[in-house]
Amino acid sequence: AQRVTQPEKLLSVFKGAPVELKCNYSYSGSPELFWYVQYSRQRLQLLLRHISRESIKGFTADLNKGETSFHLKKPFAQEEDSAMYYCALSRTDSWGKLQFGAGTQVVVTP
Amino acid sequence: EAGVVQSPRYKIIEKKQPVAFWCNPISGHNTLYWYLQNLGQGPELLIRYENEEAVDDSQLPKDRFSAERLKGVDSTLKIQPAELGDSAVYLCASSYGTGNTGELFFGEGSRLTVL
């Protein structure tokens, strides 16, 4: 069975500092990885997906199959980045059945 | 666009009582999902519908949980009888097609408290 691990429950950073959210997964097949974000009083929404290889709101994430990781990074954190971030994995034979990590709360202080 | 609409937003009941949650997906989205989110955890899939067919309900505790999606649009998730451990947020989501882009659109959730 697949598993997604986010080792940090809380990440506190200063504005302008780099931020990295760790995500490790276990899955024997070829997964699709995503980052979802939930801002305060808003609904859960997709931030980015690895297959798109895009940068959203300054965030990037690289899939490292050797280390089975999909860490989320941003070089300069902003206060509006404060949110709950979830790493999620989907099997290509079961789209939509996202396996979520427990989430990392990011707090950016001025 | 309103997005995925869920009701009620909050529900408090006593154990052994029944409860039902309703979801209206985004217009045109044929795939609908019910996820369960316990405190401090990520969402976990309970059931997934493609149109009116439940294509994945392996995680749904069928002794007390039931779901339906009549006419392939709105969906209802029911718990009868509720137990203390059912206290959680029930999230509904929808996607266009089979969700193979990985982009699910979530509702605001229904927070259940069982006393």
Side-chain angles (χ1 to χ4, degrees), chain A residues 9 34 36 38 41-46 49 51 86 90 93-103, chain B residues 2-4 33 35 37 40-43 45 48 56 58-59 98-104 106-108:
Chain A
K9 282 200 172 300
F34 311 89
Y36 273 76
Q38 187 166 25
R41 288 186 289 277
Q42 294 188 28
R43 56 191 72 193
L44 191 60
Q45 59 186 287
L46 179 67
R49 68 202 90 182
I51 55 175
Y86 295 95
S90 178
D93 62 348
S94 186
W95 289 110
K97 187 172 183 176
L98 294 175
Q99 181 78 36
F100 285 89
Chain B
V4 176
Y33 315 79
Y35 277 82
Q37 186 169 23
Q41 301 295 320
L45 181 70
R48 176 166 63 102
D56 186 348
S58 57
Q59 302 286 84
T98 59
N100 59 351
T101 64
E103 183 162 19
L104 274 58
F106 284 86
E108 294 178 294

